[in-house]
Amino acid sequence: DTGVSQNPRHKITKRGQNVTFRCDPISEHNRLYWYRQTLGQGPEFLTYFQNEAQLEKSRLLSDRFSAERPKGSFSTLEIQRTEQGDSAMYLCASSLAREGENEQFFGPGTRLTVL
Amino acid sequence: AQKITQTQPGMFVQEKEAVTLDCTYDTSDQSYGLFWYKQPSSGEMIFLIYQGSYDEQNATEGRYSLNFQKARKSANLVISASQLGDSAMYFCAMRRNSWGKLQFGAGTQVVVTP
């Protein structure tokens, strides 16, 4: 399977715990995006990387959230001291930064439930 | 600030009929891209169609076509010959520059009935 993969697919945690999600983009894609989707809403942008550089962060991304893409390949999104309001689907997408390449390819998402 | 509006929370459509999903957007940018994604109950986001702001022709991809009216800032999705497998949530999205983030609307739930 050469699509975007995300692990884990589901995570249940207790409030106050830290969680980390992983995203593996399509291999040649140099742009990687994180979005968050709550029930009944469209995805909301969190942050994106070009190669290993984090180019933009949303104001939604509080200090408890951190994302990395250390070698320009896979990315991790960590949430510290989780809160119930962090419960959502976390989506990763990747794209090729090249003229004419328009599509962002999404992974299956990680569903986080904070108890 | 940009904004994407999908005014139809849900729609029923009979199999084999066409359905139009509305999307309006607000931007002061001259260059932007408009997208439609499908999200079945399984959760994955599936890309359907793309329209660039400078594209003069409406985009088409199989049974999907995008009715782009730039002056009215609308980018409606038309699904022709609906199939049961088209039942899903449909999101309109806009990208401000060539490779940036997507901003999504709230979505329209489509249910195709036999």
Side-chain angles (χ1 to χ4, degrees):
Chain A
D1 187 347
T2 57
V4 179
S5 62
Q6 292 186 247
N7 288 289
R9 294 292 307 276
H10 303 273
K11 179 70 177 179
I12 300 173
T13 191
K14 292 182 179 178
R15 190 175 53 185
Q17 298 295 306
N18 299 345
V19 294
T20 300
F21 310 142
R22 177 177 169 130
C23 171
D24 287 89
I26 293 171
S27 60
E28 66 268 26
H29 285 186
N30 48 3
R31 288 227 169 180
L32 187 148
Y33 309 80
W34 285 99
Y35 294 87
R36 180 171 68 186
Q37 185 178 24
T38 53
L39 203 60
Q41 300 296 319
E44 296 175 296
F45 168 77
L46 293 178
T47 188
Y48 82 84
F49 294 83
Q50 178 157 328
N51 300 315
E52 65 275 9
Q54 189 172 19
L55 297 186
E56 187 175 349
K57 290 170 60 173
S58 164
R59 277 174 255 176
L60 292 174
L61 216 64
S62 76
D63 291 345
R64 297 184 298 105
F65 287 71
S66 62
E68 293 183 341
R69 194 183 184 197
K71 297 181 181 178
S73 57
F74 73 91
S75 176
T76 57
L77 177 68
E78 181 183 16
I79 309 174
Q80 295 182 326
R81 305 180 304 282
T82 53
E83 302 172 356
Q84 287 184 326
D86 297 331
S87 295
M89 176 76 89
Y90 289 83
L91 295 165
C92 176
S94 70
S95 70
L96 190 58
R98 187 170 68 194
E99 191 66 36
E101 299 284 343
N102 296 303
E103 181 181 351
Q104 287 185 18
F105 293 81
F106 281 80
T110 294
R111 183 169 295 284
L112 173 66
T113 302
V114 182
L115 302 176
Chain B
Q2 300 176 110
K3 188 176 179 181
I4 303 291
T5 303
Q6 294 181 253
T7 57
Q8 305 152 310
M11 297 184 71
F12 285 93
V13 59
Q14 275 203 310
E15 205 176 359
K16 299 180 186 176
E17 291 188 349
V19 61
T20 297
L21 308 183
D22 295 341
C23 173
T24 57
Y25 60 92
D26 186 21
T27 183
S28 55
D29 294 332
Q30 296 301 309
S31 176
Y32 51 89
L34 296 158
F35 299 76
W36 279 91
Y37 280 83
K38 171 184 177 182
Q39 188 176 42
S41 56
S42 53
E44 74 270 29
M45 296 286 285
I46 302 168
F47 168 77
L48 296 178
I49 196 165
Y50 166 80
Q51 178 86 41
S53 59
Y54 291 119
D55 295 340
E56 294 184 353
Q57 302 257 352
N58 285 342
T60 59
E61 290 286 350
R63 296 187 296 111
Y64 304 106
S65 59
L66 198 151
N67 184 1
F68 181 45
Q69 298 187 44
K70 193 171 182 176
R72 297 180 61 185
K73 293 187 176 178
S74 76
N76 298 340
L77 177 71
V78 180
I79 306 173
S80 62
S82 297
Q83 302 171 357
L84 295 177
D86 293 336
S87 293
M89 196 75 165
Y90 288 81
F91 291 98
C92 179
M94 179 167 61
R95 184 182 62 200
R96 187 173 186 180
N97 47 34
S98 295
W99 303 300
K101 63 190 178 189
L102 294 174
Q103 182 174 358
F104 288 85
T108 296
Q109 180 73 50
V110 171
V111 176
V112 180
T113 60

